[in-house]
Amino acid sequence: MSGGNRSTAWDRMLGPVHRWVWRDPDRRIRKLLLFGEVETDGGRDILRAAEITPDPLLRRLYLEHAIDELHHGDLFRERGQALLRARRTAPRTFFNGTPLPGGHGLDDLRVEDESDPQLLAFLHVAEKAAAGRFEIYRDCVADDPETRAIFEEILRDEVFHMNYSYAQLNRVSPETSRRRVWSARASRVWKRYLRAMTALAGLIGDLMLTGIYFIVLAPFAWAAKRAERRESAGWQPVSGGRENSPTSLY
């Protein structure tokens, strides 16, 4: 499981989009800084797994994994900050976002709630996905040797993490290892689907509110302005036949 092209057919099909994202200097900086946060958060989660596992071998492997992730976070963050300092112009604000996912997605996981086999299956799937994506990112930054070297170094670590997690899953749960990997993969797909649907719902809500503002409220505003023009300015005379006291509520 250590060789070959680890990127998925879907990621390879989105190659032009990946290249478009990384070609822009501002998006490149944002991506690197975001990866720094994701890798550091993942390192903390795996460090927590090392604290609670009863397996001494897994404890040592988790610690090595956590150290690698924290180091990756430092590499991404330092490179992003270096590119940011080298920018001679202010970052552009037009679509500086990153439409494609990256990192490990360990935010999907509560380490305390997972057994070692479940955690190992999740780590294997996440690290394999990250390794495949980092292969593509490495090729997208061919014009930036320093950033490419960072992806090369991190990719070697990701392959090791992918392989050790699968080997240890087969050790601690040989009968259910394949089923757990498929379950972890399905869980990641489902959570990504939910996030995509949440984003789509937010977009649809924004479009509907915008439509209501310009299509529904505009006629009422126009009618109110017409009615205002028909009204005379200033105080209006009150008929002298009224007997009600001007200070009365009724």
Side-chain angles (χ1 to χ4, degrees):
M1 301 188 66
S2 60
N5 193 334
R6 285 163 289 268
S7 58
T8 64
W10 174 251
D11 275 329
R12 291 194 297 273
M13 186 175 66
L14 290 176
V17 181
H18 287 290
R19 287 189 290 273
W20 170 76
V21 168
W22 284 95
R23 186 164 52 242
D24 182 85
D26 297 325
R27 285 194 295 268
R28 182 175 298 192
I29 291 170
R30 288 170 63 89
K31 269 288 207 185
L32 291 171
L33 294 176
L34 177 62
F35 284 176
E37 295 177 7
V38 171
E39 296 284 323
T40 300
D41 288 343
R44 295 192 189 103
D45 289 336
I46 299 171
L47 190 61
R48 177 58 179 158
E51 292 175 349
I52 63 178
T53 182
D55 189 309
L57 177 57
L58 285 181
R59 184 177 299 111
R60 180 175 63 81
L61 290 169
Y62 286 159
L63 283 173
E64 292 180 6
H65 191 162
I67 291 171
D68 287 343
E69 298 297 330
L70 295 172
H71 177 56
H72 298 169
D74 289 339
L75 290 175
F76 280 132
R77 188 161 44 250
E78 289 170 2
R79 184 56 186 158
Q81 290 170 350
L83 292 175
L84 185 61
R85 287 192 297 269
R87 291 286 286 153
R88 298 183 180 273
T89 58
R92 298 189 301 273
T93 57
F94 177 71
F95 196 63
N96 279 339
T98 55
L100 296 175
H104 299 76
L106 291 178
D107 57 323
D108 292 339
L109 196 69
R110 281 186 56 84
V111 172
E112 293 82 357
D113 299 337
E114 304 292 338
S115 65
D116 279 329
Q118 290 170 318
L119 179 59
L120 288 167
F122 183 90
L123 286 175
H124 170 71
V125 172
E127 296 293 329
K128 185 176 182 180
R133 202 166 294 120
F134 285 166
E135 278 188 338
I136 294 176
Y137 296 164
R138 176 197 58 192
D139 297 335
C140 291
V141 296
D143 61 325
D144 183 351
E146 292 185 53
T147 304
R148 180 183 173 91
I150 289 173
F151 278 117
E152 287 277 10
E153 177 181 346
I154 293 175
L155 181 58
R156 289 192 293 270
D157 290 340
E158 303 293 3
V159 172
F160 167 70
H161 300 158
M162 177 184 76
N163 289 336
Y164 100 77
S165 56
Y166 191 74
Q168 292 303 309
L169 175 61
N170 281 322
R171 178 179 70 85
V172 301
S173 182
E175 300 85 2
T176 62
S177 59
R178 295 178 66 86
R179 177 175 58 81
R180 290 184 186 277
V181 168
W182 279 104
S183 176
R185 188 174 291 122
S187 176
R188 279 173 58 88
V189 171
W190 174 246
K191 289 174 181 176
R192 284 190 177 181
Y193 168 78
L194 291 179
R195 284 198 294 268
M197 291 300 102
T198 300
L200 179 62
L203 176 62
I204 293 174
D206 291 342
L207 292 175
M208 290 181 63
L209 289 175
T210 303
I212 290 172
Y213 181 81
F214 287 105
I215 297 173
V216 177
L217 294 184
F220 285 97
W222 176 77
K225 288 183 178 296
R226 285 198 61 188
E228 182 182 8
R229 285 196 294 268
R230 290 197 297 266
E231 295 286 341
S232 301
W235 294 92
Q236 302 298 318
V238 179
S239 173
R242 294 181 60 178
E243 298 179 355
N244 294 338
S245 169
T247 61
S248 173
L249 297 176
Y250 305 99

